[in-house]
Amino acid sequence: MSIKAGSEEHKELFCRQFIETHEVFDPAALPWPELDAVALERLRSVPFWQEVYHTERRAGAIVDAFTPQVIDPLVREAVALQGVEEARHASLIRVMIDRYGLNATEQPLEKFPDDLETAFIDFGFGECMDSFLGFGAFKTARQSEFLPDAMFQIFDVLMYEETRHIVFFINYMAWREKRRGHIALTRALKSAWFYGRAARRLLGMVKRGQDDNDGRDFAVTQANMFLDGFSFTQFVEDCYKENARRMSQFDSDLMQPRLLPAISRLALRGLRLWERR
Ligand SMILES: [Fe+2]
Ligand SMILES: [Fe+2]
């Protein structure tokens, strides 16, 4: 990285790149495939559409609420655009729910705290974690041909936008912290703390998902085709490699998430040693 994190130049770069890579499309007009009975059954057996739908609606609401509080006009323009994209993610999921008759209803959104920036930051670290794990899960599901590839092409639109969001967020955080005079160490500690919160939220979600359907629906269908022979090491490796592949599409002058890739690289080393014993 050749430019200084937190500088005006840095801000211009991460905002402009985000704004310029925004794509215009209508979720309803995407090439949604016809699914045969088997594929439809598989899609319906995925137990987290409700959670995904809610998460995207919540994301849009948080980002929209935070937008007017952003003082810098260029940063505000970029954040506003993220709000547009999050709302579009929710409508993309809605289109899919309606089209394929998936089981997901609209839940009320919680009231956000007055400190909307903290809500935005919490949400941002949550996105970093969800995306990193999502990269691996996406690869596993796509490789096992769990659904026709046309579906994965549509999901990939969403994944690409999430990747842009986390790159924007990581740069936003560095810029914000630098302007507040925080040094690298406090920044790292702060990230770790927020990641801890994101991890706890994620575990809560998994737990809720299990309580809701005991994992039954998912297990009875052929969903276990990609759970059979599932290797944790392989999954971590997929997350790591997919993250690297997706990140390589971004300008090398932009900062990228580092903590999760570093942790997983360490974990992989440990796991491989363990497996060799
Ligand atoms: Fe989203
Ligand atoms: Fe996002």
Side-chain angles (χ1 to χ4, degrees):
M1 179 159 167
S2 58
I3 55 169
K4 237 176 115 198
S7 62
E8 269 301 294
E9 199 191 353
H10 177 221
K11 181 195 80 185
E12 286 278 330
L13 182 74
F14 74 79
C15 291
R16 295 246 176 264
Q17 292 230 346
F18 184 77
I19 294 166
E20 278 161 16
T21 50
H22 172 73
E23 281 167 16
V24 178
F25 68 87
D26 170 11
L30 289 171
W32 296 97
E34 288 301 326
L35 295 183
D36 61 20
V38 174
L40 204 54
E41 181 58 28
R42 283 186 186 164
L43 186 68
R44 286 177 181 159
S45 74
V46 174
F48 46 70
W49 295 128
Q50 168 97 16
E51 195 80 32
V52 171
Y53 182 48
H54 184 71
T55 304
E56 296 293 358
R57 284 181 58 235
R58 183 174 171 275
I62 290 176
V63 180
D64 283 353
F66 174 54
T67 302
Q69 296 192 357
V70 181
I71 296 159
D72 186 282
L74 183 61
V75 178
R76 188 169 58 236
E77 188 186 338
V79 173
L81 210 52
Q82 183 182 350
V84 169
E85 292 182 7
E86 297 296 10
R88 193 169 56 186
H89 290 170
S91 63
L92 188 151
I93 301 294
R94 182 76 247 171
V95 166
M96 183 176 75
I97 290 167
D98 293 342
R99 189 182 162 104
Y100 301 112
L102 310 182
N103 184 20
T105 49
E106 202 164 297
Q107 298 163 278
L109 293 169
E110 84 255 30
K111 201 184 161 313
F112 301 125
D114 293 334
D115 182 1
L116 284 162
E117 189 174 25
T118 301
F120 177 75
I121 293 173
D122 259 330
F123 154 73
F125 280 110
E127 281 212 290
C128 290
M129 181 158 291
D130 294 350
S131 302
F132 190 75
L133 299 173
F135 292 156
F138 185 85
K139 172 105 190 285
T140 311
R142 189 171 201 165
Q143 240 172 17
S144 68
E145 296 174 8
F146 180 65
L147 291 168
D149 206 64
M151 278 311 271
F152 288 106
Q153 281 170 29
I154 291 180
F155 295 147
D156 208 36
V157 172
L158 215 136
M159 299 291 281
Y160 170 65
E161 289 188 342
E162 294 303 358
T163 315
R164 281 174 53 256
H165 294 173
I166 63 179
V167 170
F168 174 76
F169 175 70
I170 291 291
N171 282 274
Y172 166 82
M173 278 307 283
W175 171 75
R176 171 192 187 273
E177 299 292 282
K178 194 65 173 252
R179 281 166 48 104
R180 283 177 166 68
H182 292 172
I183 54 164
L185 180 66
T186 35
R187 239 166 51 204
L189 288 175
K190 203 161 174 180
S191 315
W193 184 74
F194 273 106
Y195 273 124
R197 282 166 55 121
R200 269 203 302 281
R201 247 198 328 270
L202 193 66
L203 287 176
M205 188 190 108
V206 171
K207 175 113 202 344
R208 276 201 307 285
Q210 281 172 344
D211 293 349
D212 282 353
N213 54 32
D214 289 339
R216 253 176 293 138
D217 302 354
F218 201 44
V220 286
T221 60
Q222 292 159 43
N224 36 17
M225 64 182 280
F226 74 95
L227 296 175
D228 280 353
F230 174 85
S231 144
F232 182 66
T233 310
Q234 187 59 49
F235 175 71
V236 178
E237 194 169 327
D238 282 346
C239 291
Y240 180 78
K241 281 193 180 153
E242 278 294 286
N243 176 72
R245 183 181 70 81
R246 289 180 185 271
M247 288 300 162
S248 69
Q249 298 165 11
F250 290 81
D251 189 329
S252 60
D253 272 339
L254 290 172
M255 300 178 81
Q256 295 185 354
R258 276 182 315 198
L259 189 63
L260 294 178
I263 291 174
S264 56
R265 201 171 53 212
L266 256 175
L268 274 175
R269 240 186 263 164
L271 285 165
R272 287 204 194 101
L273 273 177
W274 176 261
E275 279 172 359
R276 225 174 287 156
R277 286 188 345 155

